[in-house]
Amino acid sequence: MVQLVDNDLLALQQMRTAVQTAKEAQEIFMGYTQQQVDKIVKAVADAAFEQSGRLAQLAVEETGMGVAAHKKIKNEVGSRDVYESIKDVKTVGIIKEDHLNKVVEIAAPFGVVAAIIPTTNPTSTAFFKTLISLKTRNAIVVSPHPYAVKCTNEALKVCDAAAVAAGAPEGLIQCLTLASMEATQQLMSHKDINLIVATGGGALVKAAYSSGKPAYGVGPGNVPVYIERSAKIEKAVKDIVDSKSFDYGTICATEQAIVVDKHVVDLVTRELKKNGAYILSDEEKKVMEGVISPVPGKVNPKVVGKSPQFIAKLAGISLPEGTRVIIGLETEVGKNVPFSLEKLSPIFAMYTVDGVKHAKKVCLDLLNLGGRGHSLSLHTEIDAVAREFVMEMPVSRILVNTMSSVGAVGGTTGLMPSFTLGCGTFGGNITSDNVTAKHLLNIKRMAYGTKEVQLPKHSEPVSQSNEQLVSSVMDNVSSATNSNIDPALVQNLVSEIVKQLTK
C-alpha cells in the first residue's frame, strides 16, 4: 500500500524546526563581539559577491524572469554595496554616549527575523536581508517565493557556509525549501519570530501586517517619470530606456509611465526610437492591452520580467530587431486602463502634458492608482521644479536625472543600498526609509538624573462630620437677618439631605 505524503504538514514541520534552530543559534550569537560580527558579515558579503554571476544565471533559469547579466549587478549591489554601507555601523554594546546629557545608547538584536523573498529578485534580496540580519546579531528564517526556491536556497547556502567558516554558530541562516503558503503564514505568526521583513505582493505584505508581529513591508511602485522641458533630453531618454530594460523591469522602483512636456515630445519620441523603443499603433495598442491585463485591474503574470520580444509574441505583434521597450501612447489613468498599471516589464505608457501643473496631476493620478509612497522619477535642469515635486508628491523618494530602478536602491544615488524600500504612511508602511541594518536593532537607553524637580506640597482636605456640617449650616442660618426662616425646619431638612448624600 502506497502511503501519501502531506506536503503541507512536512512544510509546517520544516518551518517549526527552522525557527527553533535559528532561535538557538541566535542566543549564542548574542554573545558575539563587534569584531566577531564584522568578520562574519564581511565573509558572507565576499562569498555572495563572488557567486553573483552563477546565482544570477540560476535565478533566470528557474524563474524565467529577467536578464542574467543584470541580475548579476543586482547581486553585487545586494552583497558588496550593502556591505560597504553597513560595515562601519556599530551594532554591539554601547553604540552612542552623550556625555553632556548623560545618556548612553546600547544596541540589542531583535532575535529571529522572518524574511519573505520575491520571485523578481530572489537572490539579491536574500543576500541583502541576510547581511543586515547578521550585522545586527539576528538569526534569519527565509521563505522563498514558490517559483524561486532553488536559487534562493542556493544563495543562502553560500551565505551560510561563509558565515560558519568565519565563526558563526551553525543554524543562524535558515531557508524553507518546501513551498507552502500555510507554512509561510504560520512562520509570520510563530511565537519565536520577532520581526518580519516582507518583500512581495500586496496580499503577502498585508498578511505580514496582520500577523501580530512587528513588520517592515513594502508597497507597489507605479513609478511615473516626468521629462520636464529643460531636461537634457538625450541623457534623460537613455537613462529611462536603460532603466526600464534593466532586468526587464523587475525592480519595483522602475519607471512605469513616461510623462513628457508637449514642447519636447517630438524630440523625446525621436530619442526613444534611437534607444530601441517601439511605439505601438492604435490597433497594436488595443491588442497589447488585452495581453497586459486580461482581467481589469490585474497585470498578467506572463508578462512580468519577460523580454519585449516574448511579450510582443503573446500579442501577435512583430517588433523591429533591437527593440528594448514597448510604448503605448495614453491619455487616461485607471484600473481599466492596462498601460497605466504597474507592469513590471519593459512596457511603458506615455502621456503628453502641458506644463508642470498638468504633469503633477498626471503623476499624482498614477501614484494614486497604485504607487503611493514609493518613488517618482524626474528629469529637469531646474532645481525649483524638483523641489516643487518633492514637496507635493506623496512618495518616499524622488530620483532626479538618473535611472530610477537602480537609483532608488542606492546604485546610482547616495541613498542607502537596500532591496526593501519603505513607502511610509502614504503607502501603508511604518517607514519611508530604504530599510537597512539600523531598522533591525532595538536601542536601549540608560539616562542619569541631570536636574532636580521640586514637587508642590499636597495635603488632604479635612472632611467634616455630618454633625459639623449641620452645625455649620445652622450657624449661617442663625446669622441670617430673615426672621421668617424656621431654624428647626431648616435643621431637619439639612440633616435629612446629609443622610441621603452619605448613604
Side-chain angles (χ1 to χ4, degrees):
M1 183 178 177
V2 178
Q3 187 173 3
L4 297 177
V5 176
D6 190 321
N7 289 327
D8 280 339
L9 287 178
L10 288 176
L12 287 170
Q13 184 57 53
Q14 182 193 48
M15 179 273 294
R16 292 176 185 129
T17 301
V19 174
Q20 179 63 31
T21 303
K23 181 184 178 184
E24 291 171 359
Q26 194 274 328
E27 288 173 350
I28 298 170
F29 196 35
M30 281 183 66
Y32 278 40
T33 65
Q34 185 75 69
Q35 185 178 15
Q36 290 174 304
V37 168
D38 290 346
K39 178 184 176 184
I40 292 165
V41 171
K42 185 179 189 306
V44 171
D46 288 346
F49 183 82
E50 184 181 342
Q51 295 294 319
S52 288
R54 179 178 71 86
L55 290 164
Q57 186 62 45
L58 191 61
V60 171
E61 290 172 359
E62 183 177 6
T63 67
M65 295 180 181
V67 181
H70 297 171
K71 286 194 182 295
K72 179 176 183 289
I73 294 172
K74 290 200 284 190
N75 285 340
E76 290 171 349
V77 172
S79 55
R80 179 191 58 195
D81 289 13
V82 168
Y83 170 73
E84 289 294 331
S85 72
I86 65 175
K87 67 178 182 178
D88 297 324
V89 177
K90 293 187 69 176
T91 58
V92 180
I94 294 174
I95 60 174
K96 183 179 177 182
E97 190 161 359
D98 183 342
H99 295 284
L100 178 64
N101 293 303
K102 293 188 176 181
V103 175
V104 181
E105 295 185 357
I106 301 97
F110 277 17
V112 181
V113 176
I116 314 301
I117 309 294
T119 185
T120 48
N121 304 298
T123 52
S124 53
T125 306
F127 287 161
F128 157 68
K129 291 185 179 179
T130 298
L131 286 172
I132 64 172
S133 295
L134 297 183
K135 177 67 175 178
T136 47
R137 291 181 298 161
N138 293 299
I140 184 170
V141 179
V142 171
S143 177
H145 191 280
Y147 297 157
V149 173
K150 291 180 182 178
C151 61
T152 299
N153 186 43
E154 186 62 25
L156 292 168
K157 282 182 178 179
V158 169
C159 295
D160 186 57
V164 172
E170 293 188 7
L172 206 56
I173 301 169
Q174 297 289 315
C175 182
L176 308 184
T177 57
L178 301 176
S180 165
M181 182 56 71
E182 176 67 19
T184 299
Q185 295 272 9
Q186 290 203 26
L187 168 69
M188 292 191 290
S189 58
H190 193 287
K191 64 181 179 64
D192 290 327
I193 290 296
N194 304 103
L195 176 73
I196 303 166
V197 185
T199 310
L204 192 63
V205 172
K206 185 176 181 181
Y209 283 143
S210 303
S211 67
K213 301 286 184 177
Y216 291 116
V218 296
N222 196 26
V223 180
V225 53
Y226 175 40
I227 305 177
E228 193 263 335
R229 62 189 297 181
S230 72
K232 294 180 179 177
I233 303 301
E234 186 175 338
K235 179 184 184 299
V237 172
K238 183 181 184 301
D239 280 347
I240 291 167
V241 175
D242 284 350
S243 181
K244 186 64 163 173
S245 58
F246 182 76
D247 206 29
Y248 292 152
T250 52
I251 295 180
C252 55
T254 301
E255 300 90 334
Q256 298 295 324
I258 302 171
V259 180
V260 57
D261 189 278
K262 70 176 185 178
H263 293 91
V264 293
V265 69
D266 291 339
L267 184 55
V268 166
T269 301
R270 186 161 63 247
E271 287 298 320
L272 283 168
K273 291 178 179 178
K274 281 173 56 179
N275 281 272
Y278 180 75
I279 299 178
L280 300 167
S281 67
D282 291 343
E283 294 77 14
E284 290 171 332
K285 177 174 175 282
K286 188 68 177 176
V287 176
M288 186 61 74
E289 287 173 344
V291 171
I292 294 170
S293 181
V295 178
K298 296 185 180 297
V299 171
N300 183 359
K302 292 181 180 179
V303 306
V304 175
K306 295 299 195 299
S307 69
Q309 290 71 26
F310 179 90
I311 297 168
K313 189 174 180 180
L314 292 178
I317 296 171
S318 179
L319 296 178
E321 188 176 346
T323 297
R324 300 172 65 199
V325 296
I326 298 169
I327 297 177
L329 303 181
E330 191 55 80
T331 59
E332 299 181 15
V333 176
K335 287 188 175 181
N336 61 340
V337 183
F339 275 85
S340 68
L341 302 172
E342 183 193 27
K343 299 163 286 294
L344 290 175
S345 59
I347 305 173
F348 268 126
M350 182 165 149
Y351 298 83
T352 300
V353 295
D354 185 8
V356 172
K357 183 177 181 181
H358 188 193
K360 288 190 294 186
K361 169 69 166 59
V362 173
C363 289
L364 185 58
D365 288 345
L366 288 162
L367 292 168
N368 286 337
L369 178 63
R372 281 182 66 88
H374 205 290
S375 305
L376 181 144
S377 183
L378 181 65
H379 291 267
T380 181
E381 291 302 300
I382 304 173
D383 186 61
V385 171
R387 291 174 183 268
E388 186 175 341
F389 268 78
V390 79
M391 290 294 184
E392 297 182 23
M393 292 293 105
V395 292
S396 300
R397 56 199 64 79
I398 285 189
L399 295 313
V400 183
N401 299 337
T402 189
M403 294 167 35
S404 181
S405 59
V406 184
V409 300
T412 61
T413 66
L415 296 177
M416 185 64 69
S418 175
F419 282 87
T420 299
L421 309 182
C423 296
T425 56
F426 307 113
N429 298 166
I430 192 61
T431 183
S432 58
D433 293 347
N434 283 18
V435 173
T436 186
K438 72 174 185 178
H439 297 92
L440 272 61
L441 277 177
N442 286 308
I443 306 297
K444 302 190 289 185
R445 292 173 177 83
M446 178 173 69
Y448 285 83
T450 58
K451 44 188 174 285
E452 298 296 329
V453 175
Q454 295 295 328
L455 298 178
K457 292 183 178 180
H458 176 70
S459 57
E460 292 292 331
V462 179
S463 59
Q464 291 181 303
S465 66
N466 291 355
E467 291 79 5
Q468 289 174 323
L469 183 60
V470 173
S471 176
S472 175
V473 172
M474 291 309 301
D475 287 343
N476 290 331
V477 170
S478 299
S479 63
T481 58
N482 189 345
S483 59
N484 294 325
I485 297 176
D486 183 352
L489 178 61
V490 171
Q491 182 171 357
N492 289 336
L493 286 173
V494 170
S495 298
E496 187 60 32
I497 290 171
V498 169
K499 287 179 184 178
Q500 293 296 324
L501 291 174
T502 57
K503 278 185 179 180

